[in-house]
Short mmCIF file of all heavy atoms in Angstrom, two decimals:
data_model
loop_
_atom_site.label_atom_id
_atom_site.label_comp_id
_atom_site.label_asym_id
_atom_site.label_seq_id
_atom_site.Cartn_x
_atom_site.Cartn_y
_atom_site.Cartn_z
N ASP E 10 0.88 -1.22 0.02
CA ASP E 10 -0.02 0.00 0.04
C ASP E 10 0.87 1.27 -0.01
O ASP E 10 1.53 1.57 1.03
CB ASP E 10 -0.93 0.00 1.27
CG ASP E 10 -1.93 1.14 1.17
OD1 ASP E 10 -1.78 2.02 0.38
OD2 ASP E 10 -2.82 1.07 2.03
N THR E 11 0.97 1.95 -1.11
CA THR E 11 1.89 3.08 -1.21
C THR E 11 1.34 4.35 -0.60
O THR E 11 1.95 5.36 -0.66
CB THR E 11 2.29 3.35 -2.73
OG1 THR E 11 1.12 3.59 -3.46
CG2 THR E 11 3.07 2.12 -3.30
N HIS E 12 0.16 4.19 0.00
CA HIS E 12 -0.33 5.40 0.80
C HIS E 12 0.75 5.55 1.99
O HIS E 12 0.75 6.66 2.59
CB HIS E 12 -1.65 5.13 1.41
CG HIS E 12 -2.75 5.38 0.42
ND1 HIS E 12 -3.07 4.39 -0.60
CD2 HIS E 12 -3.67 6.40 0.20
CE1 HIS E 12 -4.07 4.81 -1.32
NE2 HIS E 12 -4.52 5.99 -0.86
N GLU E 13 1.48 4.55 2.30
CA GLU E 13 2.42 4.64 3.40
C GLU E 13 3.61 5.56 3.01
O GLU E 13 4.34 6.07 3.84
CB GLU E 13 3.09 3.24 3.67
CG GLU E 13 2.03 2.27 4.20
CD GLU E 13 2.61 0.82 4.28
OE1 GLU E 13 3.83 0.70 3.94
OE2 GLU E 13 1.90 -0.06 4.74
N HIS E 14 3.70 5.98 1.72
CA HIS E 14 4.77 6.78 1.26
C HIS E 14 4.44 8.21 1.02
O HIS E 14 5.15 9.01 0.44
CB HIS E 14 5.41 6.20 -0.01
CG HIS E 14 5.99 4.82 0.08
ND1 HIS E 14 6.74 4.49 1.11
CD2 HIS E 14 5.77 3.69 -0.71
CE1 HIS E 14 7.05 3.15 0.98
NE2 HIS E 14 6.45 2.69 -0.12
N LEU E 15 3.17 8.62 1.43
CA LEU E 15 2.75 10.02 1.09
C LEU E 15 3.59 11.01 1.71
O LEU E 15 3.88 12.03 1.07
CB LEU E 15 1.25 10.10 1.47
CG LEU E 15 0.28 9.22 0.78
CD1 LEU E 15 -1.14 9.38 1.36
CD2 LEU E 15 0.22 9.61 -0.78
N GLU E 16 3.94 10.84 3.01
CA GLU E 16 4.84 11.84 3.63
C GLU E 16 6.12 11.96 3.00
O GLU E 16 6.69 13.04 2.74
CB GLU E 16 4.98 11.54 5.12
CG GLU E 16 3.66 11.59 5.91
CD GLU E 16 3.32 13.04 6.29
OE1 GLU E 16 4.08 13.89 5.89
OE2 GLU E 16 2.24 13.18 6.92
N GLU E 17 6.68 10.80 2.55
CA GLU E 17 8.02 10.85 1.86
C GLU E 17 7.89 11.54 0.61
O GLU E 17 8.77 12.29 0.12
CB GLU E 17 8.52 9.41 1.73
CG GLU E 17 9.84 9.36 1.07
CD GLU E 17 10.30 7.94 0.86
OE1 GLU E 17 9.76 6.94 1.33
OE2 GLU E 17 11.45 7.82 0.21
N ALA E 18 6.77 11.22 -0.14
CA ALA E 18 6.62 11.93 -1.45
C ALA E 18 6.66 13.44 -1.34
O ALA E 18 7.24 14.17 -2.12
CB ALA E 18 5.22 11.49 -2.08
N VAL E 19 5.90 13.97 -0.29
CA VAL E 19 5.90 15.37 0.01
C VAL E 19 7.33 15.83 0.28
O VAL E 19 7.80 16.99 -0.24
CB VAL E 19 4.97 15.72 1.15
CG1 VAL E 19 5.09 17.22 1.49
CG2 VAL E 19 3.57 15.46 0.67
N ARG E 20 8.06 15.18 1.10
CA ARG E 20 9.48 15.53 1.38
C ARG E 20 10.35 15.58 0.14
O ARG E 20 11.30 16.37 0.03
CB ARG E 20 10.06 14.57 2.39
CG ARG E 20 9.52 14.69 3.87
CD ARG E 20 10.43 13.99 4.88
NE ARG E 20 10.53 12.49 4.57
CZ ARG E 20 9.66 11.66 5.18
NH1 ARG E 20 8.71 12.08 5.87
NH2 ARG E 20 9.79 10.35 4.87
N ARG E 21 10.04 14.69 -0.84
CA ARG E 21 10.89 14.60 -2.07
C ARG E 21 10.43 15.76 -2.99
O ARG E 21 11.02 15.87 -4.07
CB ARG E 21 10.67 13.32 -2.74
CG ARG E 21 11.38 12.15 -2.03
CD ARG E 21 11.02 10.79 -2.70
NE ARG E 21 11.77 9.66 -2.06
CZ ARG E 21 12.81 9.13 -2.76
NH1 ARG E 21 13.17 9.49 -3.95
NH2 ARG E 21 13.39 8.05 -2.16
N GLY E 22 9.34 16.56 -2.70
CA GLY E 22 8.95 17.57 -3.54
C GLY E 22 7.63 17.40 -4.34
O GLY E 22 7.36 18.26 -5.20
N ALA E 23 6.90 16.39 -4.03
CA ALA E 23 5.61 16.22 -4.74
C ALA E 23 4.77 17.43 -4.63
O ALA E 23 4.62 17.98 -3.50
CB ALA E 23 4.90 14.98 -4.16
N ALA E 24 4.24 17.89 -5.72
CA ALA E 24 3.38 19.10 -5.76
C ALA E 24 2.01 18.80 -5.34
O ALA E 24 1.23 19.70 -4.87
CB ALA E 24 3.42 19.69 -7.15
N ALA E 25 1.52 17.52 -5.50
CA ALA E 25 0.21 17.15 -5.22
C ALA E 25 0.17 15.56 -5.10
O ALA E 25 1.06 14.91 -5.47
CB ALA E 25 -0.83 17.63 -6.23
N LEU E 26 -0.98 15.13 -4.56
CA LEU E 26 -1.12 13.66 -4.35
C LEU E 26 -2.47 13.19 -4.91
O LEU E 26 -3.38 13.95 -4.90
CB LEU E 26 -1.12 13.32 -2.81
CG LEU E 26 0.12 13.81 -2.06
CD1 LEU E 26 -0.10 13.62 -0.52
CD2 LEU E 26 1.43 13.12 -2.48
N LEU E 27 -2.45 12.00 -5.46
CA LEU E 27 -3.67 11.36 -5.96
C LEU E 27 -3.85 10.08 -5.07
O LEU E 27 -2.99 9.20 -5.05
CB LEU E 27 -3.51 10.98 -7.42
CG LEU E 27 -4.71 10.17 -8.08
CD1 LEU E 27 -6.01 10.92 -8.00
CD2 LEU E 27 -4.42 9.76 -9.52
N VAL E 28 -4.97 10.12 -4.32
CA VAL E 28 -5.08 9.06 -3.35
C VAL E 28 -6.49 8.48 -3.36
O VAL E 28 -7.41 9.11 -3.88
CB VAL E 28 -4.75 9.55 -1.88
CG1 VAL E 28 -3.37 10.15 -1.80
CG2 VAL E 28 -5.83 10.50 -1.36
N SER E 29 -6.72 7.32 -2.78
CA SER E 29 -8.03 6.71 -2.53
C SER E 29 -8.44 6.84 -1.15
O SER E 29 -9.65 6.83 -0.79
CB SER E 29 -8.11 5.34 -3.06
OG SER E 29 -7.17 4.52 -2.34
N ASP E 30 -7.38 7.00 -0.25
CA ASP E 30 -7.65 7.09 1.22
C ASP E 30 -7.21 8.48 1.75
O ASP E 30 -6.08 8.66 2.12
CB ASP E 30 -6.93 5.99 1.99
CG ASP E 30 -7.23 5.92 3.46
OD1 ASP E 30 -8.01 6.78 3.95
OD2 ASP E 30 -6.84 4.93 4.11
N ALA E 31 -8.11 9.46 1.61
CA ALA E 31 -7.80 10.85 2.03
C ALA E 31 -7.38 11.09 3.44
O ALA E 31 -6.59 11.91 3.76
CB ALA E 31 -8.92 11.73 1.67
N ALA E 32 -7.80 10.14 4.32
CA ALA E 32 -7.57 10.30 5.74
C ALA E 32 -6.13 10.09 6.02
O ALA E 32 -5.57 10.57 7.06
CB ALA E 32 -8.35 9.30 6.54
N ARG E 33 -5.38 9.44 5.18
CA ARG E 33 -4.00 9.20 5.40
C ARG E 33 -3.05 10.19 4.70
O ARG E 33 -1.81 10.11 4.80
CB ARG E 33 -3.64 7.80 4.93
CG ARG E 33 -4.45 6.64 5.65
CD ARG E 33 -4.39 5.38 4.99
NE ARG E 33 -2.98 4.80 4.90
CZ ARG E 33 -2.59 3.70 4.25
NH1 ARG E 33 -3.53 3.10 3.60
NH2 ARG E 33 -1.40 3.29 4.34
N ALA E 34 -3.62 11.14 4.02
CA ALA E 34 -2.83 12.09 3.18
C ALA E 34 -2.43 13.31 4.07
O ALA E 34 -3.29 13.74 4.79
CB ALA E 34 -3.57 12.56 2.00
N PRO E 35 -1.18 13.77 3.87
CA PRO E 35 -0.77 14.98 4.60
C PRO E 35 -1.59 16.19 3.99
O PRO E 35 -2.09 16.10 2.93
CB PRO E 35 0.66 15.12 4.29
CG PRO E 35 0.97 14.34 3.04
CD PRO E 35 -0.12 13.19 3.09
N THR E 36 -1.65 17.23 4.76
CA THR E 36 -2.47 18.40 4.40
C THR E 36 -1.54 19.63 3.87
O THR E 36 -2.09 20.64 3.61
CB THR E 36 -3.22 18.93 5.59
OG1 THR E 36 -2.39 19.25 6.64
CG2 THR E 36 -4.19 17.85 6.06
N THR E 37 -0.37 19.28 3.62
CA THR E 37 0.59 20.35 3.20
C THR E 37 0.56 20.60 1.75
O THR E 37 1.14 21.58 1.21
CB THR E 37 2.05 20.04 3.62
OG1 THR E 37 2.36 18.66 3.25
CG2 THR E 37 2.14 20.15 5.18
N VAL E 38 -0.02 19.69 0.94
CA VAL E 38 -0.11 19.84 -0.55
C VAL E 38 -1.58 19.48 -0.89
O VAL E 38 -2.24 18.82 -0.25
CB VAL E 38 0.90 18.96 -1.32
CG1 VAL E 38 2.30 19.37 -0.95
CG2 VAL E 38 0.60 17.51 -1.02
N PRO E 39 -2.01 19.95 -2.13
CA PRO E 39 -3.42 19.55 -2.52
C PRO E 39 -3.46 18.06 -2.69
O PRO E 39 -2.48 17.40 -3.13
CB PRO E 39 -3.50 20.26 -3.88
CG PRO E 39 -2.52 21.40 -3.76
CD PRO E 39 -1.39 20.87 -2.97
N VAL E 40 -4.61 17.50 -2.40
CA VAL E 40 -4.87 15.98 -2.51
C VAL E 40 -6.09 15.76 -3.38
O VAL E 40 -7.19 16.15 -2.98
CB VAL E 40 -5.06 15.43 -1.10
CG1 VAL E 40 -5.36 13.94 -1.25
CG2 VAL E 40 -3.85 15.70 -0.19
N ALA E 41 -5.91 15.10 -4.52
CA ALA E 41 -7.01 14.63 -5.35
C ALA E 41 -7.41 13.27 -4.87
O ALA E 41 -6.54 12.41 -4.67
CB ALA E 41 -6.59 14.54 -6.79
N VAL E 42 -8.70 13.19 -4.57
CA VAL E 42 -9.24 11.88 -4.05
C VAL E 42 -10.04 11.16 -5.07
O VAL E 42 -11.00 11.67 -5.69
CB VAL E 42 -10.07 12.21 -2.85
CG1 VAL E 42 -10.61 10.93 -2.20
CG2 VAL E 42 -9.37 13.09 -1.82
N ALA E 43 -9.70 9.92 -5.36
CA ALA E 43 -10.39 9.05 -6.24
C ALA E 43 -10.48 7.65 -5.58
O ALA E 43 -9.58 6.93 -5.50
CB ALA E 43 -9.63 8.93 -7.63
N ARG E 44 -11.71 7.30 -5.30
CA ARG E 44 -11.93 6.01 -4.57
C ARG E 44 -11.67 4.91 -5.51
O ARG E 44 -11.22 3.76 -5.13
CB ARG E 44 -13.36 5.96 -4.00
CG ARG E 44 -13.55 7.00 -2.83
CD ARG E 44 -14.96 6.76 -2.28
NE ARG E 44 -15.99 7.30 -3.13
CZ ARG E 44 -16.35 8.54 -3.15
NH1 ARG E 44 -15.80 9.44 -2.33
NH2 ARG E 44 -17.33 8.95 -3.97
N ALA E 45 -12.02 5.05 -6.74
CA ALA E 45 -11.72 4.02 -7.74
C ALA E 45 -10.23 4.24 -8.39
O ALA E 45 -10.09 5.03 -9.30
CB ALA E 45 -12.76 4.04 -8.88
N GLU E 46 -9.31 3.61 -7.75
CA GLU E 46 -7.94 3.87 -8.15
C GLU E 46 -7.56 3.62 -9.58
O GLU E 46 -7.01 4.53 -10.24
CB GLU E 46 -6.99 3.07 -7.23
CG GLU E 46 -6.99 3.50 -5.80
CD GLU E 46 -6.02 2.60 -5.02
OE1 GLU E 46 -5.45 1.57 -5.62
OE2 GLU E 46 -5.76 2.88 -3.87
N ASP E 47 -7.75 2.41 -10.10
CA ASP E 47 -7.36 2.05 -11.36
C ASP E 47 -7.98 2.89 -12.50
O ASP E 47 -7.29 3.40 -13.39
CB ASP E 47 -7.63 0.59 -11.55
CG ASP E 47 -6.69 -0.31 -10.81
OD1 ASP E 47 -5.60 0.27 -10.36
OD2 ASP E 47 -6.92 -1.53 -10.63
N PRO E 48 -9.36 2.98 -12.50
CA PRO E 48 -9.91 3.89 -13.53
C PRO E 48 -9.33 5.29 -13.45
O PRO E 48 -9.05 5.93 -14.53
CB PRO E 48 -11.42 3.87 -13.22
CG PRO E 48 -11.63 2.57 -12.47
CD PRO E 48 -10.37 2.41 -11.69
N ALA E 49 -9.19 5.86 -12.28
CA ALA E 49 -8.77 7.26 -12.16
C ALA E 49 -7.27 7.36 -12.68
O ALA E 49 -6.98 8.25 -13.41
CB ALA E 49 -8.76 7.71 -10.70
N LEU E 50 -6.42 6.42 -12.30
CA LEU E 50 -5.06 6.44 -12.86
C LEU E 50 -5.06 6.43 -14.34
O LEU E 50 -4.24 7.13 -15.01
CB LEU E 50 -4.20 5.32 -12.31
CG LEU E 50 -2.82 5.18 -12.73
CD1 LEU E 50 -2.00 6.45 -12.25
CD2 LEU E 50 -2.13 3.97 -12.17
N GLY E 51 -5.91 5.54 -14.96
CA GLY E 51 -5.91 5.52 -16.37
C GLY E 51 -6.31 6.78 -17.04
O GLY E 51 -5.69 7.25 -17.96
N LEU E 52 -7.39 7.36 -16.48
CA LEU E 52 -7.94 8.62 -17.09
C LEU E 52 -7.00 9.72 -16.89
O LEU E 52 -6.78 10.55 -17.77
CB LEU E 52 -9.26 8.88 -16.46
CG LEU E 52 -10.44 7.89 -16.83
CD1 LEU E 52 -11.62 8.15 -15.89
CD2 LEU E 52 -10.76 7.97 -18.25
N VAL E 53 -6.39 9.85 -15.71
CA VAL E 53 -5.45 10.98 -15.47
C VAL E 53 -4.20 10.79 -16.32
O VAL E 53 -3.70 11.77 -16.90
CB VAL E 53 -5.06 11.04 -13.97
CG1 VAL E 53 -3.87 11.96 -13.77
CG2 VAL E 53 -6.27 11.44 -13.06
#
């Protein structure tokens, strides 16, 4: 589960996050929430 790496992604300079579990996302960058991960990744 790569939601475990969200904080590290921000430390590395991520400008934004695309997640399915918003409760685990840091609040220091914008967070796009898509509960259906695979369809959202394909469309984005």
Side-chain angles (χ1 to χ4, degrees):
D10 186 349
T11 58
H12 284 77
E13 298 174 357
H14 302 312
L15 293 175
E16 294 282 359
E17 182 181 354
V19 173
R20 288 196 297 271
R21 287 172 175 256
L26 305 170
L27 175 61
V28 307
S29 59
D30 188 353
R33 299 167 63 185
T36 59
T37 50
V38 298
V40 178
V42 183
R44 289 183 291 273
E46 291 181 351
D47 288 343
L50 179 63
L52 293 169
V53 170

